[in-house]
Amino acid sequence: MKLAVYQARATDGDVEGGFARLDQALAGAAHAGARMLVAPELLLPGYNRPDLHGSLAQPLDGPWIIRLQGMARKAGCGLVLGWAERLDERVYNTATAIGSDGEILAHYRKIQLFGPMERASFTAGETAPLVFDLEGRRAGLLICYDIEFPGHAADLAAAGADLVLVPTANGAEYGHVQDVLIPARAHESRLHIAYANYCGSEAGLHFGGRSLIAGPDGRPLVAAGSSEALLISELPALTDLPSERLSSQDLDYRRPG
């Protein structure tokens, strides 16, 4: 299966501009033969826009998701992206996976909120990410800071996942995440991890770019620089993946002595 990662410029509240660029990225990914495109965290309405998160957040059955379903169906390429979800009086930092047929495959609310802005803007998710079928593979969703906690990736691997899709909004000062933590998470749990970051700046926050897809050996299959980019990678067949899986119990185990 071919997988695409879109390293986007921040939306910064320009929702229509975000949709337009995402539509172009989907078309490019589909043209390259990709079956799924991963885009950044809170692409709608923008990551560092707490002034907009509450006022623009939408429900799962709202116009944003309906429009995204139509875009994926038209392109013939699935889509994962982050967005601000409203449920009654609560707002969540959410990622949704939409299949190439426009159907919702998975829906996840970020558990590990990062920093004062996120904690003031969003309610933390309480449901662990689930594993879902994706073009014959088993995939899971995490969002940005979630992947920095080994147990989340390990739990997905223990549940049978071989692929984790991660919309993110990682600042330029946290480059160790791309250099060290994403490769480590991939190797620890014998996973492929697709990490889709922003480039450029938004409301004073400078993003680090350098989106990547890391393999189970900890090495990148493909990686971006600091500019807008569309990454495409052919994932190895399931028969070529390591058979071992590390569970959360393995990672928590400490040998006395």
Side-chain angles (χ1 to χ4, degrees), residues 159-216:
D162 62 88
L163 173 63
V164 179
L165 310 174
V166 187
T168 191
N170 195 41
E173 67 271 36
Y174 301 116
H176 65 281
V177 177
Q178 293 96 317
D179 288 341
V180 178
L181 297 185
I182 300 304
R185 291 299 91 83
H187 178 62
E188 286 165 353
S189 295
R190 311 299 192 263
L191 295 163
H192 282 90
I193 297 177
Y195 187 79
N197 197 18
Y198 289 108
C199 59
S201 301
E202 181 182 50
L205 176 60
H206 302 287
F207 297 105
R210 299 172 60 206
S211 302
L212 74 157
I213 301 174

Short mmCIF file of all heavy atoms in Angstrom, two decimals, residues 159-216:
data_model
loop_
_atom_site.label_atom_id
_atom_site.label_comp_id
_atom_site.label_asym_id
_atom_site.label_seq_id
_atom_site.Cartn_x
_atom_site.Cartn_y
_atom_site.Cartn_z
N ALA A 159 -2.61 -4.67 20.16
CA ALA A 159 -3.95 -4.91 19.62
C ALA A 159 -3.91 -5.32 18.15
O ALA A 159 -4.96 -5.49 17.54
CB ALA A 159 -4.82 -3.68 19.80
N GLY A 160 -2.70 -5.42 17.59
CA GLY A 160 -2.56 -5.91 16.22
C GLY A 160 -2.21 -4.88 15.18
O GLY A 160 -2.10 -5.20 13.99
N ALA A 161 -2.02 -3.62 15.57
CA ALA A 161 -1.69 -2.59 14.60
C ALA A 161 -0.27 -2.78 14.05
O ALA A 161 0.64 -3.17 14.78
CB ALA A 161 -1.81 -1.20 15.22
N ASP A 162 -0.11 -2.51 12.76
CA ASP A 162 1.23 -2.45 12.18
C ASP A 162 1.53 -1.06 11.63
O ASP A 162 2.61 -0.81 11.10
CB ASP A 162 1.38 -3.48 11.05
CG ASP A 162 0.42 -3.23 9.90
OD1 ASP A 162 0.78 -2.46 8.99
OD2 ASP A 162 -0.69 -3.80 9.91
N LEU A 163 0.57 -0.12 11.80
CA LEU A 163 0.70 1.22 11.26
C LEU A 163 0.00 2.20 12.20
O LEU A 163 -1.13 1.96 12.62
CB LEU A 163 0.05 1.27 9.87
CG LEU A 163 -0.08 2.62 9.16
CD1 LEU A 163 1.30 3.21 8.87
CD2 LEU A 163 -0.88 2.45 7.88
N VAL A 164 0.68 3.31 12.53
CA VAL A 164 0.07 4.36 13.34
C VAL A 164 0.16 5.67 12.56
O VAL A 164 1.23 6.05 12.07
CB VAL A 164 0.75 4.51 14.71
CG1 VAL A 164 0.11 5.64 15.51
CG2 VAL A 164 0.65 3.21 15.50
N LEU A 165 -0.97 6.36 12.45
CA LEU A 165 -1.09 7.60 11.69
C LEU A 165 -1.22 8.75 12.68
O LEU A 165 -2.13 8.75 13.52
CB LEU A 165 -2.30 7.53 10.76
CG LEU A 165 -2.37 6.26 9.90
CD1 LEU A 165 -3.67 6.21 9.11
CD2 LEU A 165 -1.17 6.16 8.98
N VAL A 166 -0.32 9.75 12.57
CA VAL A 166 -0.19 10.77 13.61
C VAL A 166 -0.23 12.18 13.02
O VAL A 166 0.79 12.70 12.57
CB VAL A 166 1.12 10.59 14.40
CG1 VAL A 166 1.16 11.56 15.59
CG2 VAL A 166 1.30 9.16 14.87
N PRO A 167 -1.40 12.84 13.02
CA PRO A 167 -1.41 14.28 12.75
C PRO A 167 -0.71 15.01 13.90
O PRO A 167 -0.94 14.68 15.07
CB PRO A 167 -2.90 14.62 12.71
CG PRO A 167 -3.60 13.31 12.50
CD PRO A 167 -2.75 12.29 13.19
N THR A 168 0.12 16.01 13.58
CA THR A 168 0.87 16.68 14.62
C THR A 168 1.02 18.16 14.32
O THR A 168 0.77 18.62 13.19
CB THR A 168 2.26 16.02 14.80
OG1 THR A 168 2.87 16.53 15.99
CG2 THR A 168 3.17 16.30 13.63
N ALA A 169 1.43 18.92 15.34
CA ALA A 169 1.73 20.34 15.19
C ALA A 169 2.96 20.60 16.06
O ALA A 169 2.88 21.26 17.09
CB ALA A 169 0.55 21.20 15.61
N ASN A 170 4.09 20.07 15.65
CA ASN A 170 5.29 20.09 16.48
C ASN A 170 6.13 21.33 16.21
O ASN A 170 6.49 21.62 15.06
CB ASN A 170 6.12 18.83 16.21
CG ASN A 170 7.16 18.61 17.29
OD1 ASN A 170 6.89 18.80 18.47
ND2 ASN A 170 8.36 18.23 16.89
N GLY A 171 6.45 22.06 17.28
CA GLY A 171 7.23 23.28 17.16
C GLY A 171 8.67 23.03 16.78
O GLY A 171 9.23 21.95 17.01
N ALA A 172 9.29 24.05 16.21
CA ALA A 172 10.66 23.93 15.71
C ALA A 172 11.65 23.60 16.83
O ALA A 172 12.70 22.99 16.58
CB ALA A 172 11.08 25.22 15.02
N GLU A 173 11.33 23.98 18.07
CA GLU A 173 12.25 23.73 19.18
C GLU A 173 12.20 22.29 19.67
O GLU A 173 13.01 21.91 20.53
CB GLU A 173 11.95 24.68 20.35
CG GLU A 173 10.62 24.47 21.03
CD GLU A 173 9.47 25.26 20.42
OE1 GLU A 173 9.45 25.42 19.19
OE2 GLU A 173 8.60 25.70 21.20
N TYR A 174 11.32 21.48 19.13
CA TYR A 174 11.17 20.10 19.59
C TYR A 174 11.58 19.10 18.51
O TYR A 174 10.96 18.06 18.34
CB TYR A 174 9.73 19.83 20.02
CG TYR A 174 9.25 20.73 21.13
CD1 TYR A 174 8.22 21.64 20.93
CD2 TYR A 174 9.85 20.69 22.40
CE1 TYR A 174 7.78 22.46 21.95
CE2 TYR A 174 9.42 21.51 23.42
CZ TYR A 174 8.38 22.40 23.18
OH TYR A 174 7.95 23.23 24.20
N GLY A 175 12.65 19.40 17.81
CA GLY A 175 13.11 18.53 16.73
C GLY A 175 13.54 17.14 17.18
O GLY A 175 13.63 16.22 16.36
N HIS A 176 13.80 16.98 18.49
CA HIS A 176 14.17 15.65 18.99
C HIS A 176 13.04 14.64 18.77
O HIS A 176 13.29 13.43 18.75
CB HIS A 176 14.52 15.72 20.48
CG HIS A 176 13.37 16.10 21.36
ND1 HIS A 176 12.91 17.39 21.52
CD2 HIS A 176 12.55 15.33 22.13
CE1 HIS A 176 11.88 17.41 22.34
NE2 HIS A 176 11.64 16.17 22.72
N VAL A 177 11.80 15.14 18.62
CA VAL A 177 10.69 14.20 18.41
C VAL A 177 10.89 13.46 17.08
O VAL A 177 10.79 12.24 17.01
CB VAL A 177 9.34 14.94 18.44
CG1 VAL A 177 8.19 13.98 18.14
CG2 VAL A 177 9.14 15.60 19.80
N GLN A 178 11.18 14.22 16.02
CA GLN A 178 11.42 13.59 14.72
C GLN A 178 12.73 12.82 14.69
O GLN A 178 12.82 11.75 14.06
CB GLN A 178 11.43 14.64 13.60
CG GLN A 178 10.08 15.31 13.36
CD GLN A 178 9.94 16.64 14.10
OE1 GLN A 178 10.33 16.75 15.26
NE2 GLN A 178 9.40 17.64 13.43
N ASP A 179 13.75 13.35 15.37
CA ASP A 179 15.07 12.72 15.33
C ASP A 179 15.14 11.43 16.15
O ASP A 179 15.79 10.46 15.74
CB ASP A 179 16.14 13.68 15.89
CG ASP A 179 16.45 14.82 14.95
OD1 ASP A 179 16.14 14.70 13.74
OD2 ASP A 179 16.98 15.85 15.42
N VAL A 180 14.47 11.44 17.30
CA VAL A 180 14.66 10.35 18.27
C VAL A 180 13.37 9.60 18.58
O VAL A 180 13.32 8.38 18.48
CB VAL A 180 15.27 10.91 19.59
CG1 VAL A 180 15.42 9.79 20.62
CG2 VAL A 180 16.59 11.60 19.32
N LEU A 181 12.33 10.34 18.97
CA LEU A 181 11.16 9.67 19.54
C LEU A 181 10.33 8.91 18.51
O LEU A 181 9.88 7.79 18.79
CB LEU A 181 10.28 10.68 20.28
CG LEU A 181 10.95 11.36 21.49
CD1 LEU A 181 9.94 12.24 22.22
CD2 LEU A 181 11.53 10.33 22.45
N ILE A 182 10.10 9.48 17.34
CA ILE A 182 9.32 8.75 16.33
C ILE A 182 10.05 7.49 15.89
O ILE A 182 9.46 6.39 15.88
CB ILE A 182 8.97 9.65 15.14
CG1 ILE A 182 8.14 10.86 15.59
CG2 ILE A 182 8.21 8.86 14.07
CD1 ILE A 182 6.86 10.50 16.33
N PRO A 183 11.35 7.55 15.54
CA PRO A 183 12.06 6.31 15.23
C PRO A 183 12.05 5.32 16.39
O PRO A 183 11.91 4.11 16.17
CB PRO A 183 13.48 6.78 14.90
CG PRO A 183 13.30 8.18 14.43
CD PRO A 183 12.19 8.74 15.26
N ALA A 184 12.18 5.81 17.63
CA ALA A 184 12.18 4.91 18.79
C ALA A 184 10.83 4.22 18.95
O ALA A 184 10.75 3.01 19.18
CB ALA A 184 12.53 5.68 20.06
N ARG A 185 9.73 5.00 18.83
CA ARG A 185 8.40 4.40 18.95
C ARG A 185 8.20 3.33 17.87
O ARG A 185 7.63 2.27 18.15
CB ARG A 185 7.31 5.46 18.80
CG ARG A 185 7.15 6.49 19.88
CD ARG A 185 6.80 5.91 21.24
NE ARG A 185 8.03 5.64 21.97
CZ ARG A 185 8.71 6.54 22.66
NH1 ARG A 185 8.27 7.79 22.73
NH2 ARG A 185 9.81 6.21 23.31
N ALA A 186 8.63 3.63 16.65
CA ALA A 186 8.44 2.67 15.56
C ALA A 186 9.20 1.38 15.84
O ALA A 186 8.69 0.28 15.64
CB ALA A 186 8.89 3.29 14.24
N HIS A 187 10.44 1.51 16.32
CA HIS A 187 11.26 0.33 16.57
C HIS A 187 10.77 -0.44 17.80
O HIS A 187 10.70 -1.68 17.77
CB HIS A 187 12.71 0.73 16.76
CG HIS A 187 13.61 -0.44 17.07
ND1 HIS A 187 13.79 -1.48 16.20
CD2 HIS A 187 14.34 -0.72 18.17
CE1 HIS A 187 14.61 -2.37 16.74
NE2 HIS A 187 14.96 -1.93 17.93
N GLU A 188 10.43 0.28 18.88
CA GLU A 188 10.00 -0.38 20.11
C GLU A 188 8.83 -1.33 19.87
O GLU A 188 8.80 -2.45 20.39
CB GLU A 188 9.55 0.67 21.13
CG GLU A 188 10.65 1.46 21.78
CD GLU A 188 10.12 2.70 22.47
OE1 GLU A 188 8.91 3.01 22.33
OE2 GLU A 188 10.92 3.37 23.14
N SER A 189 7.86 -0.87 19.08
CA SER A 189 6.63 -1.63 18.90
C SER A 189 6.52 -2.26 17.52
O SER A 189 5.46 -2.78 17.19
CB SER A 189 5.43 -0.73 19.18
OG SER A 189 5.42 -0.33 20.54
N ARG A 190 7.60 -2.21 16.74
CA ARG A 190 7.64 -2.85 15.42
C ARG A 190 6.49 -2.35 14.55
O ARG A 190 5.71 -3.12 13.99
CB ARG A 190 7.59 -4.37 15.54
CG ARG A 190 8.58 -4.98 16.54
CD ARG A 190 10.04 -4.69 16.18
NE ARG A 190 10.93 -5.53 16.99
CZ ARG A 190 11.52 -5.12 18.11
NH1 ARG A 190 11.33 -3.89 18.56
NH2 ARG A 190 12.31 -5.94 18.79
N LEU A 191 6.43 -1.01 14.41
CA LEU A 191 5.37 -0.35 13.68
C LEU A 191 5.93 0.52 12.56
O LEU A 191 7.08 0.95 12.61
CB LEU A 191 4.58 0.58 14.61
CG LEU A 191 3.78 -0.01 15.76
CD1 LEU A 191 3.45 1.08 16.76
CD2 LEU A 191 2.50 -0.65 15.23
N HIS A 192 5.09 0.84 11.59
CA HIS A 192 5.31 2.00 10.75
C HIS A 192 4.55 3.16 11.37
O HIS A 192 3.40 3.00 11.80
CB HIS A 192 4.81 1.75 9.32
CG HIS A 192 5.75 0.92 8.51
ND1 HIS A 192 5.67 -0.45 8.47
CD2 HIS A 192 6.79 1.28 7.71
CE1 HIS A 192 6.63 -0.91 7.67
NE2 HIS A 192 7.31 0.10 7.21
N ILE A 193 5.17 4.34 11.42
CA ILE A 193 4.54 5.53 11.97
C ILE A 193 4.62 6.64 10.93
O ILE A 193 5.71 7.00 10.48
CB ILE A 193 5.19 5.98 13.28
CG1 ILE A 193 5.03 4.90 14.36
CG2 ILE A 193 4.58 7.30 13.75
CD1 ILE A 193 5.71 5.23 15.67
N ALA A 194 3.46 7.19 10.57
CA ALA A 194 3.39 8.34 9.67
C ALA A 194 3.10 9.58 10.51
O ALA A 194 2.07 9.64 11.20
CB ALA A 194 2.31 8.12 8.63
N TYR A 195 3.99 10.54 10.45
CA TYR A 195 3.97 11.73 11.33
C TYR A 195 3.86 12.97 10.44
O TYR A 195 4.81 13.33 9.74
CB TYR A 195 5.25 11.73 12.15
CG TYR A 195 5.39 12.75 13.25
CD1 TYR A 195 4.77 12.56 14.48
CD2 TYR A 195 6.18 13.88 13.07
CE1 TYR A 195 4.94 13.48 15.51
CE2 TYR A 195 6.36 14.80 14.09
CZ TYR A 195 5.73 14.60 15.31
OH TYR A 195 5.90 15.51 16.33
N ALA A 196 2.68 13.62 10.43
CA ALA A 196 2.40 14.73 9.51
C ALA A 196 2.40 16.04 10.27
O ALA A 196 1.49 16.33 11.05
CB ALA A 196 1.05 14.51 8.83
N ASN A 197 3.41 16.86 10.03
CA ASN A 197 3.59 18.13 10.75
C ASN A 197 3.31 19.32 9.83
O ASN A 197 3.18 19.18 8.61
CB ASN A 197 5.03 18.20 11.27
CG ASN A 197 5.20 19.26 12.36
OD1 ASN A 197 4.24 19.72 12.97
ND2 ASN A 197 6.44 19.65 12.62
N TYR A 198 3.26 20.49 10.43
CA TYR A 198 3.19 21.75 9.69
C TYR A 198 4.58 22.26 9.35
O TYR A 198 5.58 21.88 9.97
CB TYR A 198 2.52 22.82 10.54
CG TYR A 198 1.05 22.66 10.78
CD1 TYR A 198 0.57 22.29 12.03
CD2 TYR A 198 0.12 22.93 9.78
CE1 TYR A 198 -0.78 22.17 12.27
CE2 TYR A 198 -1.23 22.81 10.01
CZ TYR A 198 -1.69 22.43 11.26
OH TYR A 198 -3.03 22.31 11.50
N CYS A 199 4.61 23.21 8.42
CA CYS A 199 5.80 24.03 8.19
C CYS A 199 5.39 25.49 8.33
O CYS A 199 4.21 25.83 8.34
CB CYS A 199 6.39 23.76 6.81
SG CYS A 199 5.24 24.07 5.44
N GLY A 200 6.37 26.38 8.47
CA GLY A 200 6.07 27.79 8.59
C GLY A 200 5.63 28.18 9.99
O GLY A 200 5.98 27.54 10.98
N SER A 201 4.85 29.25 10.07
CA SER A 201 4.46 29.82 11.36
C SER A 201 2.97 30.10 11.41
O SER A 201 2.31 30.24 10.38
CB SER A 201 5.22 31.14 11.61
OG SER A 201 6.62 30.93 11.60
N GLU A 202 2.47 30.20 12.65
CA GLU A 202 1.07 30.54 12.86
C GLU A 202 0.94 31.24 14.21
O GLU A 202 1.27 30.67 15.26
CB GLU A 202 0.20 29.27 12.85
CG GLU A 202 -1.28 29.56 13.05
CD GLU A 202 -2.10 28.28 13.08
OE1 GLU A 202 -1.72 27.35 13.83
OE2 GLU A 202 -3.09 28.20 12.35
N ALA A 203 0.49 32.48 14.18
CA ALA A 203 0.24 33.25 15.41
C ALA A 203 1.41 33.19 16.38
O ALA A 203 1.23 32.99 17.58
CB ALA A 203 -1.04 32.76 16.08
N GLY A 204 2.63 33.35 15.86
CA GLY A 204 3.82 33.38 16.70
C GLY A 204 4.45 32.03 17.00
O GLY A 204 5.52 31.98 17.62
N LEU A 205 3.82 30.94 16.57
CA LEU A 205 4.38 29.61 16.79
C LEU A 205 5.06 29.14 15.51
O LEU A 205 4.44 29.12 14.44
CB LEU A 205 3.27 28.62 17.18
CG LEU A 205 3.69 27.16 17.34
CD1 LEU A 205 4.75 27.00 18.41
CD2 LEU A 205 2.47 26.29 17.67
N HIS A 206 6.32 28.76 15.62
CA HIS A 206 7.10 28.31 14.47
C HIS A 206 7.15 26.78 14.48
O HIS A 206 7.61 26.17 15.44
CB HIS A 206 8.52 28.89 14.52
CG HIS A 206 8.54 30.39 14.56
ND1 HIS A 206 8.24 31.18 13.47
CD2 HIS A 206 8.78 31.24 15.59
CE1 HIS A 206 8.31 32.45 13.81
NE2 HIS A 206 8.64 32.51 15.10
N PHE A 207 6.68 26.19 13.38
CA PHE A 207 6.62 24.74 13.29
C PHE A 207 7.92 24.17 12.70
O PHE A 207 8.61 24.83 11.93
CB PHE A 207 5.44 24.30 12.42
CG PHE A 207 4.11 24.70 12.98
CD1 PHE A 207 3.40 25.76 12.44
CD2 PHE A 207 3.58 24.05 14.08
CE1 PHE A 207 2.17 26.14 12.96
CE2 PHE A 207 2.36 24.42 14.62
CZ PHE A 207 1.66 25.47 14.06
N GLY A 208 8.20 22.93 13.07
CA GLY A 208 9.48 22.33 12.71
C GLY A 208 9.50 21.57 11.40
O GLY A 208 10.58 21.16 10.95
N GLY A 209 8.34 21.36 10.75
CA GLY A 209 8.35 20.57 9.52
C GLY A 209 8.89 19.18 9.77
O GLY A 209 8.59 18.54 10.77
N ARG A 210 9.69 18.68 8.83
CA ARG A 210 10.40 17.41 8.95
C ARG A 210 9.46 16.24 9.24
O ARG A 210 9.75 15.35 10.03
CB ARG A 210 11.49 17.53 10.01
CG ARG A 210 12.53 18.58 9.66
CD ARG A 210 13.50 18.82 10.78
NE ARG A 210 14.21 17.60 11.11
CZ ARG A 210 14.72 17.33 12.30
NH1 ARG A 210 14.58 18.20 13.29
NH2 ARG A 210 15.35 16.21 12.51
N SER A 211 8.30 16.26 8.57
CA SER A 211 7.39 15.12 8.63
C SER A 211 8.10 13.88 8.11
O SER A 211 9.03 13.98 7.30
CB SER A 211 6.16 15.40 7.77
OG SER A 211 5.51 16.58 8.20
N LEU A 212 7.63 12.70 8.54
CA LEU A 212 8.31 11.48 8.11
C LEU A 212 7.40 10.27 8.27
O LEU A 212 6.38 10.32 8.94
CB LEU A 212 9.59 11.25 8.91
CG LEU A 212 9.47 10.77 10.37
CD1 LEU A 212 10.76 10.07 10.80
CD2 LEU A 212 9.15 11.91 11.31
N ILE A 213 7.82 9.20 7.60
CA ILE A 213 7.28 7.86 7.84
C ILE A 213 8.45 7.02 8.30
O ILE A 213 9.44 6.86 7.57
CB ILE A 213 6.65 7.25 6.59
CG1 ILE A 213 5.51 8.14 6.08
CG2 ILE A 213 6.12 5.84 6.89
CD1 ILE A 213 4.93 7.68 4.75
N ALA A 214 8.38 6.51 9.53
CA ALA A 214 9.45 5.68 10.10
C ALA A 214 9.04 4.22 10.05
O ALA A 214 7.87 3.89 10.27
CB ALA A 214 9.75 6.10 11.53
N GLY A 215 10.01 3.35 9.77
CA GLY A 215 9.75 1.92 9.71
C GLY A 215 10.08 1.21 11.01
O GLY A 215 10.64 1.81 11.94
N PRO A 216 9.76 -0.08 11.09
CA PRO A 216 10.00 -0.85 12.31
C PRO A 216 11.48 -0.95 12.70
O PRO A 216 11.77 -1.27 13.85
CB PRO A 216 9.43 -2.23 11.98
CG PRO A 216 8.46 -2.00 10.88
CD PRO A 216 9.02 -0.87 10.09
#
